[in-house]
Structures are given as structure tokens and as C-alpha cells.
Amino acid sequence: TDAGRPAAALAVIAATRTTSADRTPEMHEAAGDAAAAAGDVAAAERHYAAWAAAAPRDPRPLRKALALRMDGLLAQQRGPADAAGGVAAPVRLDELAAIDPDDRSLLVWRTLWEDVLGRRSEGDRRVARLVELYPHDPEVRALRIRRAFAGTDTAAPEAIAAEMTREPRTPAADARVLASEALERGMLHLAIDVTTAAIERTPDDAVLVEHLAPALLALGRPAAARAAID
């Protein structure tokens, strides 16, 4: 599977001539990964369900099964029980929550679900928990920034920007995310403030300059944009 040969991996597992009940958790995981790599979501979910049954306290099989479905579910705005019905073992977010309620992937997915359902306050509560548990995780930090721009509180992006410019240890990745969101929404001064502060800390970050230059040009400051690029 790691070598990009899912069909060969499935053939090896089939050649063991074992039934699903006889297979070890590792075999179920390998079969699920191979099926997922081959694009057979239903088969992958069946293998992950068997893995979960063989190792009921291990959160990994449910996490992998959920990962197969979440992008499509979020796009369709359908509940996990509705879309996952019909496979061998329905995959639900609460199954993973029962094993590990503070699982990072679970909290991220639940945050996205709350936003889809319009329950902003519940999503905020889950993001706060994510930040508490995983304060240095890049995906968690990016999620917090993007939700600040997507919400109805127009002061939220400015508050995060002020926090970032005050904190000298703010990762450059945070500034990139915030600048990108600010540029997309025409908040040019905000993008300039954040990227300028970040460039002072990491002057060799070309991506930050790529965000700063267009903002300066949009404000009619071509000389400053050229200076930033140079």
C-alpha cells in the first residue's frame, strides 16, 4: 500500500485464506488502507469496521473510516448516519467520541459539522477545546483563524491580528493564513499589518511577501510593493 500498489496489497491479504474473523487488527488495517487507496470506500469501511470490532478501544479504525467520508459529507451537508447507512457498520462521530472525546480529528470534524448546521456557538466551544488541547497544532490554529473571518463578529479578525502582531513567537504559517483570508475579503490594511510584522520576524519567507505585495498594489502603493519584493 505504501508503495502505491493497493491491488497487490489486497491480493496478498486474500492469499492468506483467512476469514474476516480470523484476521488480526493489523491485517484489517492493511486491507482497509489498500481498499481506500484503490478508491473502494465501501470496502475500506467494511475493513475498518472489522478492525474496530477486533480492537474496540483503538480509535484509529473509526478515525480512518471517518476520514473517508467527511469531505463528501460536509459538501453534501448530510448527517453521518444518513450517508453511512448501508455499509457493514455505520460510521458515526459519536462512536469515536465514546472512545476518545478529545481526539483531535473528531473535534475538528465536529466543529465543521456545527458550522454546517448553523450552530456557531457549539462550533466555538469545540474550537476553544481544540486550542486548549492542541495550542501549537498548525491545523487547529488555521481553523481558528478561518472561523474568525467566516463568523458574524466583524471584530474577530482584527482581534486575532492584534494578538498575532503582539506575540513575537507567532508562527509565520498563522500570518500566511490570516493574510490570505484578509486579502480574499478585501481587508487590505489588516493583511499588510500582519504580513509586515511577520516579515520582520522571518524576512526570508517568500509566501508572506506574496501576500504583502498585492495588498500594497491594491492600495495604490506600487513603490512599496516593489520594495517588498526586492
Side-chain angles (χ1 to χ4, degrees):
T1 302
D2 291 342
R5 299 173 60 194
L10 289 171
V12 169
I13 292 169
T16 63
R17 301 184 181 277
T18 57
T19 66
S20 178
D22 295 329
R23 291 175 183 162
T24 65
E26 292 76 16
M27 292 177 69
H28 289 305
E29 178 183 13
D33 290 350
D40 191 341
V41 173
E45 287 182 337
R46 286 195 294 271
H47 290 301
Y48 291 146
W51 178 17
R57 302 306 301 171
D58 188 341
R60 291 176 299 162
L62 285 171
R63 187 185 299 142
K64 286 194 173 188
L66 281 166
L68 290 173
R69 287 283 181 167
M70 285 305 297
D71 287 344
L73 290 173
L74 289 167
Q76 299 167 29
Q77 298 189 13
R78 294 165 58 191
D82 172 44
V87 299
V91 177
R92 298 183 178 88
L93 292 171
D94 55 4
E95 292 182 33
L96 183 53
I99 297 175
D100 185 1
D102 289 333
D103 179 88
R104 175 189 162 284
S105 299
L106 171 72
L107 288 169
V108 169
W109 288 327
R110 282 196 152 174
T111 299
L112 298 175
W113 268 118
E114 300 298 355
D115 289 346
V116 165
L117 297 175
R119 299 195 297 227
R120 178 78 188 183
S121 61
E122 283 297 309
D124 289 343
R125 185 171 65 83
R126 299 193 190 284
V127 168
R129 182 62 173 162
L130 275 165
V131 172
E132 177 186 351
L133 293 170
Y134 310 101
H136 304 297
D137 186 288
E139 184 180 354
V140 170
R141 296 174 71 92
L143 176 63
R144 176 175 175 249
I145 293 168
R146 292 192 177 101
R147 291 186 80 258
F149 281 89
T152 57
D153 183 1
T154 55
E158 286 84 354
I160 289 184
E163 172 189 316
M164 289 170 59
T165 53
R166 285 195 308 268
E167 174 52 62
R169 293 172 296 179
T170 296
D174 288 12
R176 294 188 210 112
V177 173
L178 192 144
S180 178
E181 294 291 323
L183 283 171
E184 186 176 323
R185 290 163 175 79
M187 302 172 72
L188 303 178
H189 289 288
L190 191 64
I192 289 171
D193 290 345
V194 169
T195 51
T196 300
I199 287 171
E200 290 177 359
R201 295 191 293 267
T202 53
D204 296 329
D205 193 312
V207 178
L208 288 172
V209 175
E210 290 173 5
H211 289 315
L212 175 60
L216 291 168
L217 282 171
L219 287 176
R221 298 171 58 187
R226 282 194 298 271
I229 294 171
D230 295 338

